Amino acid sequence: MSPQDGAPEFLSFHEDERAAQRLAGQSPGRAAIRPFMPDQHRTFFAGLPYIFAAALDERGWPIGTALSGDAGFIRSPDPTTLRIDALPSAGDPASPGLVEGAEIGMIGLDFTNRRHNRANGTLVAVDDGLTVQVGQSFGNCAQYIQTRTPSPRPPASSGVEELSRLDETAHALISGADTFFVASRSRAGVGSGGGLDMSHRGGRPGFVGVAGELLTIPDFRGNRFYNTLGNLLGDPRAGLLFIDFGSGDLLQLQGRVSIDWAPAGAPAGAERLWRMTVERAWRQRSAFPFTWTFGTYAPTTLATAIRAVDRMDVE
């Protein structure tokens, strides 16, 4: 039930999400997106030692970041409130956008069991942490998530390095990644279903093609919501977050996205391709304070194939 009498049980897809569904050949269905968090989502977030968030930078661009803390650093005092007792570093490009009244998108992902939930809303207080008024809450399927088990380690960040281009280290992280996160925003005027969003993408190592500043990303079959692609239809600016699970380095990217809805010769399992030209990039070394033990690839990940998407025709 909704926590407030008369409130809708589920929200509607916004206009651009419905447009993306049509372009993908899907019939818009019911959006299983609630205006409050069910109790199981509240309990789930409270058990995480980290959370991934989308903010807007000083230019209004989406930017992704990661927040972490001791067990219990996230809590939910009521179905429409999340309290996160953590802030990004002062040099994090997401930090200026985390202010009272700003939008925020969040995804919690338990890498040990592939469970993940998203919550989007508005910051109602920013002090030594973040208090979020949740306006959208929804679960996601467990596809393309590789299991990993974290062990805490002390953070040893040496600050934030802004990159003038993607260097060899950045290329190696991107080309070897099996996981990354996407921050996107809906365009102005799209309606009450819009806002900031943070989502997950996964595949076999090498599923993200990189050539210079151009990333080529296969879009595999998912939950059919098209939240991210709908946002990118209306506003092509995106923020990508890559994690080096060995070193704890974070790589934050921003760029503009174009979507190929019917690509020729896409990798097996890919229904679309989207490409992002990186315009800004930052690296935070040893900023994600965990040591990870790899578990298994998701069965859906193993059902996909990799080809050299970085060398595909991108005209």
Side-chain angles (χ1 to χ4, degrees):
M1 292 181 62
S2 167
Q4 297 179 351
D5 292 340
E9 176 71 16
F10 295 107
L11 302 172
S12 300
F13 290 117
H14 66 61
E15 179 181 346
D16 293 338
E17 290 168 333
R18 294 194 299 271
Q21 292 164 4
R22 290 191 295 271
L23 285 166
Q26 303 297 315
S27 299
R30 185 184 70 170
I33 302 173
R34 295 179 172 90
F36 65 95
M37 293 176 292
D39 287 345
Q40 61 178 336
H41 289 200
R42 298 170 64 197
T43 300
F44 169 77
F45 280 113
L48 294 173
Y50 51 79
I51 192 170
F52 306 100
L56 295 179
D57 70 5
E58 73 283 355
R59 304 179 304 156
W61 281 64
I63 184 75
T65 193
L67 302 170
S68 59
D70 295 331
F73 90 110
I74 304 173
R75 59 186 186 277
S76 175
D78 62 67
T80 58
T81 303
L82 268 183
R83 171 65 187 183
I84 304 169
D85 289 326
L87 295 170
S89 66
D92 190 313
S95 186
L98 296 175
V99 296
E100 187 174 333
E103 295 178 345
I104 186 171
M106 299 162 290
I107 183 168
L109 195 162
D110 187 338
F111 282 104
T112 68
N113 59 21
R114 300 190 173 96
R115 184 182 173 196
H116 64 309
N117 295 306
R118 281 147 79 177
N120 306 331
T122 304
L123 290 166
V124 294
V126 179
D127 36 55
D128 55 350
L130 308 171
T131 302
V132 182
Q133 182 75 29
V134 173
Q136 301 175 20
S137 174
F138 51 111
N140 278 160
C141 57
Q143 299 183 85
Y144 314 109
I145 297 174
Q146 307 5 301
T147 59
R148 289 177 162 90
T149 302
S151 300
R153 68 178 178 190
S157 178
S158 57
V160 181
E161 174 190 5
E162 185 164 3
L163 307 178
S164 59
R165 60 178 180 81
L166 295 181
D167 58 18
E168 183 177 346
T169 301
H171 274 210
L173 174 54
I174 295 167
S175 64
D178 59 43
T179 298
F180 72 94
F181 297 88
V182 189
S184 64
R185 67 175 303 185
S186 59
R187 61 180 169 87
V190 80
S192 59
L196 268 172
D197 186 65
M198 190 70 161
S199 65
H200 161 272
R201 292 292 189 275
R204 292 174 182 262
F207 83 109
V208 180
V210 54
E213 311 305 307
L214 179 65
L215 307 187
T216 306
I217 302 163
D219 198 69
F220 302 122
R221 179 187 177 96
N223 60 13
R224 303 301 191 189
F225 281 12
Y226 297 94
N227 308 111
T228 300
L229 294 188
N231 282 348
L232 294 174
L233 270 182
D235 187 334
R237 298 176 294 179
L240 273 52
L241 176 68
F242 287 86
I243 300 168
D244 187 323
F245 289 100
S247 68
D249 290 359
L250 300 179
L251 181 66
Q252 296 159 283
L253 309 177
Q254 287 180 325
R256 298 177 191 271
V257 170
S258 64
I259 305 168
D260 186 344
W261 293 92
E271 298 182 334
R272 291 154 295 276
L273 289 174
W274 51 284
R275 300 178 176 93
M276 187 177 97
T277 301
V278 176
E279 299 184 24
R280 300 182 76 184
W282 299 263
R283 180 163 46 228
Q284 300 187 53
R285 295 194 181 275
S286 303
F288 201 45
F290 302 94
T291 298
W292 295 86
T293 302
F294 185 83
T296 60
Y297 290 103
T300 44
T301 298
L302 294 176
T304 65
I306 293 299
R307 60 167 293 183
V309 294
D310 55 324
R311 292 191 291 274
M312 292 178 65
D313 178 14
V314 294
E315 297 298 323

